[in-house]
Amino acid sequence: MAMYGKPEYWNERYRVSGSYDWLQTYSSLRYLLSVESLMATSKLKPLSSFPSHEKCRVLILGCGNSSFAFDMLKDGWKGHITNVDFSSTVIEQMKQKYMGYSDFMDFRCVDITQGLPFEDKTFDLIICKATFDCVLTSAASISSVKKVVQESSRVLKNGHGILFLVSYGNPDSRVVFLERDSDLSYYWGEVNIHTVARRSPSSTKNDYVYVCRKRLDDVPLLKSPHQVSSCQTSGKDKHNADASLKSSNTHVE
């Protein structure tokens, strides 16, 4: 699947393919995108409340030709939605398709592995749906995905900013990429993990939603290899948390 990390592959694919949502749709994730769900926490209290849909500034990484942003807009997310993708072909297609909605959302050609062209603390919510998995198929995948996490943290607002990461990878294979130097709290005050059934009725597999709330301050905490505790699990679907979840601020549902 190395071709997934190349814009040339996606440019050619988008020339002939119709609208498609990878992994999950907006309707299947809508309940997790409620303010109550996004700010649900067992320990940490945000410094600022999460904005209403009418005021929330959203960034979608790797938008492709999905209707996800438009579905959000129809559901009242009018604080502005910025969509980025490294395929110039799909960005031009989406600009034309939604040209009548430029007051509420825009589309930009951006390679997110090279950084995000936005000021610090610009967005309230970043949605990364299957794009993380795609980056992991590319050359220099480890450094690239770490750059995506670093930049996502940078452009999120303090106090309530959320990275909403949707992946087919379970926590054992994904949480490590949210860390820096084995420290999950370097970027994130808390990470809540939800298990979501695959949309295909014939599939018994699950997708995973990582709701990563940005830490409250800008200064990284001092790391301590001894400050490790086991994960708490809750909810109807439970995942056996591995010791790789090295933070008391990580919860699996």
Side-chain angles (χ1 to χ4, degrees):
M1 298 296 183
M3 68 280 196
Y4 282 1
K6 299 179 179 180
E8 296 82 6
Y9 166 80
W10 290 105
N11 283 337
E12 184 60 31
R13 178 166 177 158
Y14 285 131
R15 287 191 183 98
V16 297
S17 67
S19 178
Y20 183 75
D21 259 303
W22 292 88
L23 302 184
Q24 302 288 330
T25 63
Y26 174 67
S27 61
S28 68
L29 297 174
R30 184 176 183 270
Y31 73 104
L32 291 175
L33 285 165
S34 68
V35 173
E36 294 76 18
S37 179
L38 289 175
M39 300 309 288
T41 177
S42 62
K43 294 182 179 180
L44 300 180
K45 292 185 178 181
L47 292 179
S48 55
S49 59
F50 198 84
S52 65
H53 290 184
E54 292 79 11
K55 296 181 180 180
C56 183
R57 292 184 61 83
V58 180
L59 172 64
I60 297 182
L61 304 179
C63 62
N65 59 13
S66 164
S67 65
F68 202 95
F70 188 57
D71 293 338
M72 291 183 73
L73 179 59
K74 290 188 294 183
D75 199 31
W77 294 79
K78 297 183 178 180
H80 200 82
I81 303 172
T82 297
N83 300 267
V84 300
D85 200 287
F86 72 170
S87 168
S88 57
T89 297
V90 80
I91 288 298
E92 288 307 312
Q93 290 175 348
M94 297 297 271
K95 282 182 177 179
Q96 290 299 315
K97 184 174 183 178
Y98 295 112
M99 62 187 306
Y101 299 92
S102 58
D103 287 345
F104 303 106
M105 59 182 184
D106 67 303
F107 296 87
R108 307 186 192 188
C109 189
V110 174
D111 182 349
I112 64 173
T113 67
Q114 301 301 309
L116 297 174
F118 307 107
E119 297 293 330
D120 295 358
K121 306 172 188 176
T122 298
F123 298 98
D124 303 293
L125 173 65
I126 296 177
I127 296 173
C128 183
K129 186 168 68 73
T131 305
F132 209 74
D133 303 323
C134 184
V135 173
L136 284 171
T137 70
S138 64
S141 60
I142 304 301
S143 60
S144 294
V145 82
K146 287 184 176 180
K147 182 69 172 180
V148 172
V149 171
Q150 178 186 9
E151 283 289 277
S152 294
S153 174
R154 179 183 66 79
V155 302
L156 281 170
K157 294 180 181 178
N158 282 14
H160 65 260
I162 295 286
L163 170 62
F164 190 88
L165 173 65
V166 185
S167 170
Y168 64 76
N170 66 34
D172 296 341
S173 64
R174 290 296 182 268
V175 169
V176 64
F177 298 116
L178 297 171
E179 303 172 340
R180 174 162 171 164
D181 299 330
S182 300
D183 184 3
L184 190 61
S185 67
Y186 189 93
Y187 296 118
W188 314 112
E190 187 160 45
V191 177
N192 290 304
I193 305 170
H194 304 269
T195 304
V196 182
R198 288 272 170 88
R199 287 188 293 149
S200 172
S202 61
S203 176
T204 59
K205 295 183 179 180
N206 296 309
D207 294 320
Y208 299 87
V209 178
Y210 301 80
V211 181
C212 313
R213 186 192 301 173
K214 185 178 178 180
R215 54 180 296 137
L216 302 183
D217 59 351
D218 289 323
V219 182
L221 298 172
L222 293 175
K223 294 178 295 180
S224 171
H226 305 295
Q227 294 177 347
V228 178
S229 63
S230 62
C231 230
Q232 296 180 4
T233 61
S234 62
K236 292 184 293 185
D237 296 309
K238 296 185 178 180
H239 179 85
N240 292 325
D242 186 80
S244 63
L245 304 184
K246 301 182 179 71
S247 173
S248 58
N249 289 337
T250 308
H251 308 280
V252 184
E253 297 183 353

